[in-house]
Amino acid sequence: MDAMAAIKQTFFQECEEQLAELESGLLAIEGGQSDLETINAVFRAVHSVKGGAGAFHLDDLVGFAHIFETTLDHVRGGKLAPTPELLKTMLRSADVLADLVRAARDGGTVEEGRKKALADELARWSGGSGGAPAAEEAAAEEEDSLAGLNFVPIQITEDDVDFSGAAPDAGNTFKVSFKPHRALYAKANDATLILRELSSLGTAEIVCDESQLPKLGELDPEEAYLIWNITLNTEKDEQAVREVFEFVDTDCDLTVEKADPPGAADVDIAALIRQATEAAAPAEAEPAAAAPAPTPAAASAPANAAASGDHPAAGGKGDAGIAVTAQTTIRVDLDRVDRLADLVGELVINQAMLAQRITEGNHGKASSASVALDELEQLTREIQESVMAIRAQPVKSVFQRMPRLAREVATLTGKSVRLIMDGEGTEVDKTVIERLADPLTHMIRNAIDHGLESPEKRRAAGKSEEGTVRLSAMHRSGRIVIEVADDGAGINRARVKQIAIDKGLIPADAQLTDDEVDNLIFLPGFSTASTVSNISGRGVGMDVVKRSVQALGGRISITSVPGKGSTFAMSLPLTLAVLDGMVVTVADQTLVVPLTAIVETLQPKQADVHGMGGDSRVIAIRDRFVPLVDVGQVLSYRYEAADPMTRVALLVETEGGARNALLVDAIQGQRQVVIKSLEANYGRVPGIAGATILGDGRVALIVDVDAVVADARGDVYRDPGLAMAS
Amino acid sequence: MTEVSKSGNAETRELIAFRIGTQEFCIDIMSIREIRGWTPATPLPKSPSFVRGVINLRGTVLPIVDLAVRLGFAPSEPTARHAIMVSQIGQQVVGLLVEGVSDIFTVSDSDIQPTPDVASDMAKRFVRGVIATDGRMISLIALNAVLPSLEMEAA
């Protein structure tokens, strides 16, 4: 039972891969890349899902996949052209297929009407073309082959004979005799696949020798009775032919003999003889002999490719890539990698301490100890980078969910959208990837729903009806930058400003730059859509996106050109384990303030600081008064309010967008720190987000800016962790 | 070996003894992962008085509990003689600051006498028994009593 569950889980994992393959294949075809390789990849993906689902009796899934497969088979066979309309149907079918897989995995059902509608649509496509019955039959046969393995060899033999009747091309001819033993089948090998692979080398004439087949009553279902004699005409050498049998050669009787090419040579000789005997028409005989060759060759080419496409091992680049990855990756518990990362962090600290000792010991720069230390430093840095690389993953896993989202939103809004994705291979820490999906989903929705205009408006503006949304990822100065750009109307600044004024977010007479107006959309409680649509208007706005990006230690910005579109760019750290921080001193303690929260630093002047009420103070920064918060007091390092004149203020912005000035004693510098959990061995500390270890080996605490500000305001900071503990 | 002790109905265990002020205490050695010298700790804001702060233990942030304060004595003034006993209690790893580790000894369960009925709150809360050896009295401390309240009092 457990084993079965495990196999099923593997099947669903593979399904996810196949579905991703299916979707990216369909998108590639839509993008004009309709070569046979891609079509085959798509077909293969659906076929694999169907095959696996059949084994688990997931009838719904099998039924739909089968219809889908039939239509794809028509495309593959060239009977159906991959028109944009057909591709739209197929993409939606891919979505339904994905839903069916998920329903099978997690329980639940897929809306019958939606499934039925698409199934009918698919059937119409395949029914509308010429050779439908034959193809249907072939597909049905293939279906049977899944149920009764014993019949597979015979059925495919006939299939293969179809296209092997062709006159062979010039090249080597081999006579191959292939007699599988029962062990071959017992090891889950399939003669069909081998024969297909073989025929992909050239043109093959496959004859099945059934002479050893006993009467049905005496037949041992597990015994192997069939022998195939193949006449293969190929440009490959004997080695290549034998390679086809590489994995089964101990489980079969195999002979490969080089023979005189019966095809081409025979034809030529026949032609010569005819030429000699019927001297009357010498000029006609030669073209007649040559003529049959090109046609079958052309016909066999797609068939061969199709055959090779069906064979997992003989597949194209995609398959080869997967196979290589499978061989070279291992699954490792994330905890172990984290432990490794911790140890490397410790190594870095130890090395820094060692360096300090050596400097103190007054060894010269050129001393052997210093040289060795330099080497150690280099090594440590490489180890650190390697460890980080282990945790890194391409953003593809998140990006690949977006095309479907774009399609759904486009359908709901009646807009036509093309989603272009760039830099899917850009790598970022696993923890960042996991938390990227939500903001990204929202940004894509927003770009389509609010960014792009309706097709009519686009036409009126002289743009193509189809809007473009470009999603791209790239590395930039130690961070990952993800951009969502649309070619819509851009931000309507007058309207944005009016809404902000109406909602009381800004004073009516506020003078704002274009940039400031654009950034108003990130304010909490702001929503531009005048009618609440069920796509973007789910009670959350861009402020939620901003907050989740900030929670990841990232920043989000917007640039907009009226009439040309808007671009949202989020810049995120490559890992959540590392934070850019400002190292400060407060009451002899070293603290780290996350750099993402800091807007600017300033030296308070006597004239700018004003008392307010009992012991609250505010500071004037460019004619705006912001609360002055003494970090030392909030964290109970000191009880007396500190004198701001001898200290430094950090202007910070909380997640809610409020600005405060944090008073610290001195700034030590700016650096990347490795974040350590306090909660693992201790618990949450109010006002503290975590800890880190500095170069001197001591622990420094990381300030939780929001909590400190809330504390200073006298609010009870609603800390979810603490709420749960009490 | 196990069988022998079982048949003798006397489980033996190894204890590690340390001093706080003039009194001697001990804990089960199985819960101690390592003993290291004192290094200055980074104080934690708004923490209970017995939490000395946190130190860096090979990349892990380790909270330090001043056992003296926890057991009701005056706070320690750490010297080179002070030691941190890194102990594992449940999922947590915590450093216990003690004045000095004196020795490791083996006792059987029957050597552990019940805690004398005294008024001391500390005795009631943390001491699980006393052991008499060489004319000394060593109190056995139950570590899980020292720690679970830590989180509660911190919050």
Side-chain angles (χ1 to χ4, degrees):
Chain A
M1 182 59 205
D2 267 345
M4 196 60 186
I7 294 168
K8 216 165 174 176
Q9 196 187 344
T10 310
F11 162 66
F12 284 125
Q13 273 169 7
E14 282 169 5
C15 269
E16 289 293 330
E17 281 164 25
Q18 300 290 358
L19 290 168
E21 185 99 336
L22 167 64
E23 179 157 358
S24 59
L26 286 174
L27 288 171
I29 297 171
E30 197 179 30
Q33 193 192 325
S34 58
D35 56 299
L36 210 55
E37 192 55 55
T38 317
I39 296 173
N40 274 323
V42 168
F43 181 84
R44 200 156 56 227
V46 178
H47 185 75
S48 306
V49 171
K50 187 183 95 171
F56 292 106
H57 301 290
L58 303 169
D59 298 335
D60 261 14
L61 191 50
V62 173
F64 189 78
H66 178 64
I67 297 166
F68 197 176
E69 191 184 18
T70 310
T71 312
L72 277 168
D73 197 43
H74 281 83
V75 177
R76 194 171 68 150
K79 290 172 195 154
L80 206 55
T83 57
E85 291 74 37
L86 175 58
L87 277 162
K88 284 217 167 74
T89 309
M90 288 200 171
L91 279 164
R92 277 187 291 130
S93 307
D95 294 346
V96 170
L97 193 66
D99 288 344
L100 282 166
V101 167
R102 269 154 221 156
R105 182 185 59 197
D106 308 328
T109 50
V110 173
E111 212 183 308
E112 191 61 33
R114 184 158 149 252
K115 193 185 106 190
K116 182 84 173 45
L118 268 174
D120 289 350
E121 211 171 314
L122 282 172
R124 243 196 329 281
W125 279 104
S126 46
S129 65
E136 215 102 64
E137 208 172 286
E141 271 175 41
E142 226 162 33
E143 181 94 316
D144 287 343
S145 76
L146 288 165
L149 272 169
N150 274 324
F151 298 102
V152 171
I154 302 167
Q155 178 233 320
I156 293 302
T157 325
E158 289 169 353
D159 250 16
D160 287 350
V161 167
D162 281 351
F163 56 78
S164 59
D169 298 336
N172 299 325
T173 302
F174 295 97
K175 292 229 176 265
V176 182
S177 162
F178 174 44
K179 178 179 189 305
H181 299 165
R182 66 188 291 166
L184 183 139
Y185 295 108
K187 287 176 185 167
N189 285 306
D190 188 345
T192 319
L193 298 177
I194 292 162
L195 291 172
R196 280 192 188 174
E197 165 91 333
L198 194 63
S199 14
S200 74
L201 294 178
T203 43
E205 190 180 338
I206 304 171
V207 177
C208 182
D209 180 357
E210 303 169 4
S211 58
Q212 296 191 23
L213 203 62
K215 291 208 178 74
L216 192 59
E218 296 152 26
L219 189 134
D220 173 3
E222 287 186 7
E223 186 50 80
Y225 298 104
L226 299 174
I227 305 166
W228 284 275
N229 293 309
I230 306 116
T231 310
L232 176 71
N233 189 279
T234 174
E235 286 175 17
K236 301 274 167 55
D237 56 11
E238 190 179 328
Q239 184 62 32
V241 175
R242 284 194 180 273
E243 254 170 31
V244 173
F245 298 91
E246 194 174 12
F247 298 108
V248 295
D249 59 4
T250 53
D251 300 323
C252 66
D253 291 333
L254 178 70
T255 56
V256 180
E257 281 171 14
K258 197 158 193 278
D260 288 331
D266 285 355
V267 171
D268 278 352
I269 292 163
L272 283 172
I273 292 168
R274 271 204 303 279
Q275 257 181 328
T277 48
E278 303 171 34
E284 282 165 22
E286 188 131 28
T295 328
S300 65
N304 286 347
S308 70
D310 269 352
H311 190 325
K317 274 176 288 178
D319 266 353
I322 289 165
V324 169
T325 331
Q327 275 166 8
T328 53
T329 56
I330 50 162
R331 277 167 197 256
V332 181
D333 194 8
L334 197 58
D335 282 350
R336 292 193 190 181
V337 181
D338 288 348
R339 178 83 192 118
L340 190 61
D342 275 355
L343 287 174
V344 172
E346 186 67 10
L347 183 65
V348 173
I349 292 158
N350 269 340
Q351 173 229 308
M353 287 157 82
L354 187 61
Q356 205 167 350
R357 297 284 149 74
I358 286 180
T359 322
E360 284 165 9
N362 253 340
H363 298 275
K365 266 265 174 222
S367 77
S368 55
S370 298
V371 173
L373 189 71
D374 284 347
E375 281 169 20
L376 177 68
E377 196 177 324
Q378 217 154 11
L379 259 177
T380 340
R381 194 168 304 142
E382 270 178 44
I383 295 174
Q384 194 171 20
E385 279 166 15
S386 311
V387 172
M388 286 305 175
I390 294 176
R391 290 178 54 102
Q393 283 191 327
V395 289
K396 191 171 182 214
S397 57
V398 178
F399 272 28
Q400 68 189 15
R401 299 185 217 163
M402 297 305 149
R404 171 174 186 180
L405 174 82
R407 280 198 298 280
E408 285 177 353
V409 177
T411 312
L412 280 169
T413 51
K415 291 174 186 175
S416 173
V417 183
R418 202 152 70 95
L419 182 69
I420 301 171
M421 296 196 292
D422 253 355
E424 293 143 287
T426 313
E427 288 191 333
V428 64
D429 194 87
K430 190 175 157 40
T431 43
V432 176
I433 290 200
E434 285 160 1
R435 293 168 64 181
L436 208 55
D438 281 350
L440 210 51
T441 305
H442 205 85
M443 281 160 81
I444 296 277
R445 272 198 195 124
N446 193 72
I448 297 170
D449 195 21
H450 298 317
L452 296 179
E453 317 92 322
S454 61
E456 302 80 55
K457 278 195 191 159
R458 288 185 69 87
R459 219 177 310 130
K463 297 182 189 176
S464 80
E465 280 184 30
E466 191 179 50
T468 305
V469 173
R470 182 181 288 275
L471 174 61
S472 59
M474 72 207 93
H475 279 148
R476 199 184 283 160
S477 56
R479 292 173 79 86
I480 184 172
V481 176
I482 295 176
E483 285 187 353
V484 177
D486 63 67
D487 67 345
I491 286 185
N492 184 343
R493 298 204 169 101
R495 205 168 126 240
V496 164
K497 197 173 166 187
Q498 193 53 50
I499 290 170
I501 293 169
D502 292 348
K503 298 201 171 180
L505 299 170
I506 52 167
D509 55 351
Q511 293 296 314
L512 300 177
T513 63
D514 285 354
D515 204 34
E516 281 172 324
V517 174
D518 291 350
N519 278 290
L520 287 176
I521 63 164
F522 291 119
L523 286 181
F526 187 93
S527 175
T528 46
S530 38
T531 53
V532 172
S533 66
N534 61 350
I535 301 134
S536 303
R538 292 186 182 175
V540 288
M542 287 306 286
D543 64 307
V544 177
V545 174
K546 187 175 188 182
R547 217 175 305 148
S548 45
V549 169
Q550 276 179 338
L552 281 167
R555 291 182 286 266
I556 187 164
S557 62
I558 174 171
T559 48
S560 180
V561 180
K564 300 256 185 205
S566 316
T567 301
F568 288 89
M570 53 180 172
S571 148
L572 298 164
L574 291 179
T575 165
L576 290 187
V578 176
L579 169 127
D580 278 315
M582 175 128 10
V583 183
V584 299
T585 312
V586 177
D588 295 332
Q589 296 299 323
T590 302
L591 296 174
V592 178
V593 183
L595 210 54
T596 44
I598 299 177
V599 182
E600 60 179 283
T601 63
L602 49 113
Q603 192 87 51
K605 291 191 202 65
Q606 185 72 57
D608 293 339
V609 180
H610 307 276
M612 215 180 169
D615 34 41
S616 296
R617 286 178 295 181
V618 294
I619 183 168
I621 298 171
R622 284 186 295 279
D623 298 334
R624 287 197 201 180
F625 293 100
V626 298
L628 186 64
V629 177
D630 181 2
V631 177
Q633 222 177 350
V634 170
L635 296 180
S636 316
Y637 288 138
R638 58 178 163 229
Y639 299 99
E640 295 299 314
D643 173 19
M645 291 340 119
T646 58
R647 295 187 160 80
V648 186
L650 312 175
L651 185 63
V652 294
E653 194 181 78
T654 60
E655 284 175 13
R659 291 195 167 192
N660 283 265
L662 297 187
L663 196 63
V664 301
D665 294 3
I667 292 174
Q668 292 181 16
Q670 197 176 312
R671 69 160 69 189
Q672 278 205 332
V673 298
V674 179
I675 302 170
K676 303 278 176 184
S677 158
L678 268 178
E679 286 156 52
N681 288 324
Y682 183 71
R684 260 169 193 271
V685 180
I688 299 298
T692 186
I693 293 161
L694 294 180
D696 61 1
R698 291 200 54 176
V699 178
L701 302 176
I702 300 169
V703 175
D704 182 342
V705 170
D706 279 36
V708 164
V709 167
D711 187 310
R713 214 188 289 143
D715 294 355
V716 178
Y717 181 65
R718 285 194 306 280
D719 188 324
L722 281 181
M724 259 157 57
S726 57
Chain B
M1 164 105 190
T2 324
E3 274 177 40
V4 171
S5 57
K6 264 183 188 163
S7 60
N9 198 18
E11 290 273 355
T12 62
R13 46 168 138 178
E14 275 190 295
L15 301 171
I16 185 161
F18 52 91
R19 269 192 330 278
I20 293 173
T22 55
Q23 298 187 15
E24 278 193 283
F25 297 89
C26 63
I27 46 183
D28 197 318
I29 203 162
M30 294 313 288
S31 51
I32 303 298
R33 291 190 3 178
E34 64 178 286
I35 296 172
R36 54 194 347 257
W38 161 253
T39 40
T42 303
L44 287 174
K46 303 181 179 180
S47 56
S49 58
F50 60 85
V51 176
R52 195 87 198 186
V54 284
I55 63 162
N56 162 27
L57 176 72
R58 288 184 301 282
T60 305
V61 176
L62 184 77
I64 302 297
V65 167
D66 187 342
L67 260 191
V69 179
R70 190 69 179 121
L71 299 180
F73 299 92
S76 309
E77 288 296 331
T79 64
R81 281 188 54 79
H82 278 75
I84 291 170
M85 300 195 296
V86 181
S87 45
Q88 170 117 34
I89 299 110
Q91 292 299 306
Q92 292 185 309
V93 181
V94 176
L96 305 172
L97 175 65
V98 297
E99 213 163 286
V101 177
S102 46
D103 60 17
I104 295 169
F105 59 100
T106 309
V107 295
S108 66
D109 280 352
S110 55
D111 295 335
I112 303 173
Q113 306 170 18
T115 316
D117 198 2
V118 291
S120 164
D121 181 47
M122 177 271 278
K124 283 180 198 144
R125 273 176 80 178
F126 307 113
V127 179
R128 288 290 168 274
V130 293
I131 297 138
T133 165
D134 305 334
R136 291 142 66 194
M137 187 195 77
I138 305 174
S139 309
L140 177 65
I141 291 177
L143 270 188
N144 47 359
V146 173
L147 291 175
S149 44
L150 181 148
E151 218 177 341
M152 213 173 69
E153 287 181 36

